[in-house]
Amino acid sequence: MRRYLFFVNQPYSYSILRPLQDEIRRRGGEAAWFVAGCTTAPLGPDERRLTTVKEVMAFNADATFVPGDWVPYFFPGIKVEVFHGMARNKRGHSSEDESDHYRIRGWFDLYCTHARKDTAKFQELAELHQHFSVTHTGWPKLDPLLTQPLHGKRHRAEGELPVVFYASTFSRSVTSAPALAEKIASLASSGRWKFIVTLHPKMDPSVVEEYRSLAGEHLRFVESDEDLLPILPEADIMLCDTSSIMFEFMFLDRPVVTFRTKMPGPYLIDVDRVENLEGALEKALEYPQDLMAATRALCDDLHSFRDGHSSARVLDAVEDFIANKRSTLREKPLNLLRKIKVRRRLRRELKKMRYGSAP
C-alpha cells in the first residue's frame, strides 16, 4: 500500500490535491496532509493531518505532492511538482520561457505537466539538468470540472439576472481589485447583474474587507479558502485581471472579460477603462463566435486532456518513476544556501500557525 503526503502552504492547494486524494483512496492507498503557514480550516474530519515534522518522518510517504515552488527537501519519498496553475506568462516577461513556471530550484524529482508545450520545455530542462524526470499527465485540479456536464452557455430562467464571477490576483502590478471596487458595487446594486466575488489569499486585507462589506442580495463574497470549482458553473461569465483562475473558467466553454490584463489575446475581452466594463460584460453574454473559438483553442493549448483522468495519470507517473526512472538520474545539486532557507522558512511557517497568525 502506497503512502502519499500533500504539502500545503497556500489555501488554493486543497482543490488541486483533493482529486488526487480521491484517486489514491480508490486505489487503496493512504494520504495525509501537512500544512505549513496557511489555514487548515478546509480539512475535513476524514482527512488525516500531520502536525509535526516528526509525524511526517514516521508516516514515511512514498511521494510528496506539491502545488507550490518549495518543499522541505528532507521529507521522505520522491517530491512531485503538480503546479498551482497552468503555464502562462502572468508577469509580462519578454517570453513565456522566462516565467517562474520554468524555474528549476532543485527540489523536485518528478514534474507532472499539463500540455504538450510545457512538457517539451520541461523535457529540455530535464536533459540539461539530469536530476529530475518529466511526465505529461494533465492537472488534477481540472478532473472534477471536466467530468461534469455543465459546459457551454448557462440556462437562465426567464427574468433571472446574469451572474458574473469576479476573481482578482494580489500583486499590485496586475490586480484590478482596488480599481474596480466602486464599479462592481454600482453594477451589483443596479439590479441588472449578480456577482460572485473572490480574492487571492495574499490580497491586501483592506481590499478584502472592502469587497466583503459589499455582500448582499446581488453580491456573494466567497472566502479564499473555499473550494471554488463547484461554484464556477454558477456564473455566466467571468471578470478577471491576470489570475490563472480565468483559464480554469474557460474550460466551462464560457467567456472571460478582463481589466488591464497582462495576458491579452483573442480568447478574452479586455478593457482598460472602468466606464467600458459593463459594455464588455454585455458583449460577453452574447458568446461571440470568434471569442469562443479562440477560447477553445487556448484551452487545447493549455491542457491536452479533456477526460478528467489526470489524477490517475499522475499516480501512474509516480509508479513508473519509482520503478524505472529514479535510479537513472543524477543526484540533485547540493543547494546548501537554499536548504538553509527552506529550513528557516518551514520553522517560520509552523511558528505562525502555532501562534495563530496564519491567514
Side-chain angles (χ1 to χ4, degrees):
M1 183 181 71
R2 291 290 189 196
R3 286 185 164 186
Y4 303 94
L5 182 69
F6 300 137
F7 181 72
V8 172
N9 76 316
Q10 290 294 337
Y12 52 64
S13 297
Y14 292 103
S15 59
I16 298 170
L17 296 170
R18 280 212 171 96
L20 272 172
Q21 179 175 246
D22 291 341
E23 181 64 17
I24 289 167
R25 289 174 171 176
R26 191 187 69 78
R27 296 184 180 201
E30 186 177 356
W33 300 76
F34 183 79
V35 183
C38 77
T39 179
T40 61
L43 287 176
D46 65 332
E47 293 177 316
R48 180 177 179 182
R49 180 189 171 198
L50 307 179
T51 60
T52 67
V53 172
K54 184 178 180 180
E55 288 180 346
V56 169
M57 304 307 285
F59 184 69
N60 197 27
D62 296 287
T64 296
F65 295 107
V66 187
D69 58 12
W70 72 285
V71 61
Y73 62 92
F74 51 87
F75 280 9
I78 67 169
K79 315 303 184 296
V80 184
E81 172 67 88
V82 293
F83 301 99
H84 71 274
M86 287 172 281
R88 297 301 294 169
N89 186 1
K90 294 176 63 177
R91 306 299 179 192
H93 296 287
S94 57
S95 75
E96 188 175 309
D97 288 351
E98 296 177 14
S99 71
D100 290 347
H101 190 80
Y102 297 110
R103 182 178 296 176
I104 304 301
R105 296 174 171 86
W107 303 134
F108 301 105
D109 302 285
L110 174 63
Y111 287 80
C112 291
T113 51
H114 306 155
R116 293 178 182 85
K117 183 177 180 180
D118 68 317
T119 301
K121 177 63 178 178
F122 274 109
Q123 285 177 336
E124 288 178 11
L125 294 168
E127 291 171 10
L128 175 65
H129 295 282
Q130 297 185 37
H131 59 72
F132 62 86
S133 182
V134 179
T135 302
H136 184 195
T137 61
W139 198 26
K141 183 177 182 179
L142 290 182
D143 285 355
L145 203 65
L146 293 173
T147 52
Q148 59 177 291
L150 299 172
H151 298 78
K153 199 168 187 177
R154 188 177 75 92
H155 173 74
R156 295 203 314 272
E158 186 176 352
E160 183 183 355
L161 296 178
V163 178
V164 180
F165 193 109
Y166 174 59
S168 178
T169 192
F170 71 98
S171 174
R172 291 183 180 180
S173 63
V174 295
T175 183
S176 62
L180 294 185
E182 185 176 340
K183 184 63 175 180
I184 288 175
S186 172
L187 291 175
S189 63
S190 71
R192 298 188 297 270
W193 304 89
K194 283 190 173 182
F195 280 83
I196 301 170
V197 174
T198 193
L199 302 174
H200 193 282
K202 291 185 179 180
M203 180 68 73
D204 182 335
S206 65
V207 177
V208 174
E209 189 53 42
E210 182 176 11
Y211 277 90
R212 191 183 282 127
S213 69
L214 298 178
E217 181 183 1
H218 291 152
L219 191 147
R220 172 185 173 190
F221 185 82
V222 180
E223 299 294 342
S224 63
D225 61 357
E226 291 189 47
D227 187 357
L228 301 178
L229 282 183
I231 304 174
L232 290 181
E234 298 177 21
D236 298 279
I237 56 179
M238 174 171 278
L239 172 61
C240 199
D241 37 45
T242 309
S243 174
S244 59
I245 194 174
M246 69 181 180
F247 301 120
E248 298 166 32
F249 185 80
M250 288 179 185
F251 279 90
L252 287 171
D253 201 23
R254 297 179 189 179
V256 174
V257 174
T258 52
F259 183 77
R260 299 176 184 171
T261 187
K262 296 291 186 181
M263 297 181 286
Y267 45 81
L268 48 79
I269 302 172
D270 188 53
V271 296
D272 59 6
R273 296 168 64 110
V274 174
E275 56 266 33
N276 295 336
L277 184 60
E278 187 169 20
L281 295 176
E282 290 171 345
K283 180 179 179 181
L285 276 179
E286 298 171 1
Y287 280 59
Q289 187 173 357
D290 57 345
L291 174 69
M292 301 316 301
T295 295
R296 296 179 193 113
L298 176 67
C299 289
D300 290 339
D301 184 52
L302 289 175
H303 196 270
S304 305
F305 306 100
R306 295 295 184 101
D307 59 5
H309 297 312
S310 292
S311 295
R313 281 186 289 269
V314 168
L315 292 185
D316 290 343
V318 169
E319 288 297 322
D320 181 57
F321 180 91
I322 292 173
N324 303 312
K325 297 179 180 177
R326 178 162 51 181
S327 61
T328 68
L329 300 176
R330 290 181 179 176
E331 291 290 326
K332 293 192 189 72
L334 196 56
N335 273 350
L336 282 178
L337 183 58
R338 281 183 173 176
K339 286 178 177 178
I340 292 171
K341 289 180 178 179
V342 160
R343 285 185 176 271
R344 287 176 177 172
R345 183 172 184 179
L346 181 61
R347 285 196 295 268
R348 184 172 64 249
E349 299 289 11
L350 292 177
K351 184 178 180 181
K352 282 198 303 184
M353 297 188 70
R354 190 176 300 121
Y355 292 102
S357 58

